[in-house]
Amino acid sequence: IFSTAIILVLDVLGVNIMPFIAGAGVAGIAIGFAAKDTLSNIIAGVLLLIDRPFEVGDRIEVWTAPVNSATWGDVLDVGLRATKIQTTDNIVIIIPNNEIMKRDIINYTTITKEIRVRVSIGIAYDADVKKAKEIIFRVSLELDWVMKEPPPVVVVKSFGDSAVNLEARVWIKDPRRRIHTISHITDRVKEVFQQ
């Protein structure tokens, strides 16, 4: 309102206002280009707050994690410009919101804390598949966070060049223990197989 009033007063006083108007137009375009990313992030932040694909505390997949670091993280903060995610390596990654809106968001805790974990295990072609399945099933139930219902399932996944590839599918109560589950089952199955 003040800018318009000043321009009208200058016009009435006989001052040529066209350079001011042209300058304001050029400045508006320059400011628009400079603020494009910021405005894009703010709009994406508002959409994230409305859509709520994740909330603070959710465990999500991180696609911009540093090389050789964890790709899982817990959402610390959802801001208007960026989202902060703390990985399992205790690294905080700040991702611009417009970058998040362009990606698939993998949220492991949005519906429930319970997730299914798949553990691949190869056995020799001459090994007893039925016995191997029983051992893997038994080892899976050693962990107190592995759910009894639904029970673990062990299936023949495929036939590899040098092994029959089995896959244990177990439900766990806490998605933050996914890697521990895979590591424990793999290590213990190897021990029991050797015995």
Side-chain angles (χ1 to χ4, degrees):
I1 291 172
F2 287 123
S3 300
T4 305
I6 290 170
I7 290 171
L8 291 174
V9 168
L10 289 174
D11 188 38
V12 170
L13 293 174
V15 177
N16 184 7
I17 58 170
M18 288 311 290
F20 294 114
I21 294 174
V26 170
I29 291 171
I31 291 169
F33 276 118
K36 178 179 69 94
D37 289 339
T38 303
L39 289 173
S40 173
N41 283 325
I42 290 172
I43 291 168
V46 170
L47 291 175
L48 279 176
L49 293 172
I50 292 170
D51 289 347
R52 295 193 169 282
F54 51 77
E55 295 180 357
V56 172
D58 279 353
R59 172 64 56 104
I60 67 171
E61 193 79 33
V62 181
W63 55 89
T64 57
V67 177
N68 297 323
S69 69
T71 60
W72 287 58
D74 295 326
V75 178
L76 293 178
D77 180 53
V78 181
L80 278 179
R81 194 193 68 77
T83 297
K84 294 178 184 173
I85 301 165
Q86 180 181 17
T87 70
T88 54
D89 291 339
N90 204 27
I91 298 169
V92 175
I93 299 175
I94 301 169
I95 305 173
N97 288 331
N98 65 347
E99 195 66 33
I100 291 173
M101 293 301 283
K102 294 177 191 172
R103 306 274 185 153
D104 292 340
I105 299 169
I106 302 169
N107 188 334
Y108 293 94
T109 55
T110 190
I111 297 172
T112 177
K113 299 287 184 205
E114 301 162 356
I115 65 167
R116 186 166 73 172
V117 176
R118 297 167 184 253
V119 184
S120 299
I121 298 167
I123 62 170
Y125 271 98
D126 58 355
D128 184 339
V129 173
K130 186 177 178 185
K131 187 171 184 180
K133 284 182 172 185
E134 289 171 5
I135 291 170
I136 296 167
F137 178 84
R138 220 173 41 246
V139 167
S140 299
L141 291 174
E142 290 177 356
L143 299 168
D144 60 353
W145 62 82
V146 169
M147 298 168 61
K148 310 294 186 265
E149 285 298 324
V153 176
V154 183
V155 298
V156 175
K157 181 76 173 168
S158 63
F159 297 102
D161 293 335
S162 59
V164 176
N165 298 315
L166 305 179
E167 183 177 80
R169 299 172 182 172
V170 299
W171 285 89
I172 61 174
K173 298 173 186 172
D174 182 1
R176 288 165 179 80
R177 296 197 171 201
R178 176 178 174 264
I179 298 301
H180 300 302
T181 305
I182 294 169
S183 176
H184 175 83
I185 291 174
T186 306
D187 292 347
R188 281 287 295 139
V189 164
K190 184 175 185 303
E191 281 177 29
V192 177
F193 278 5
Q194 284 177 334
Q195 290 170 9

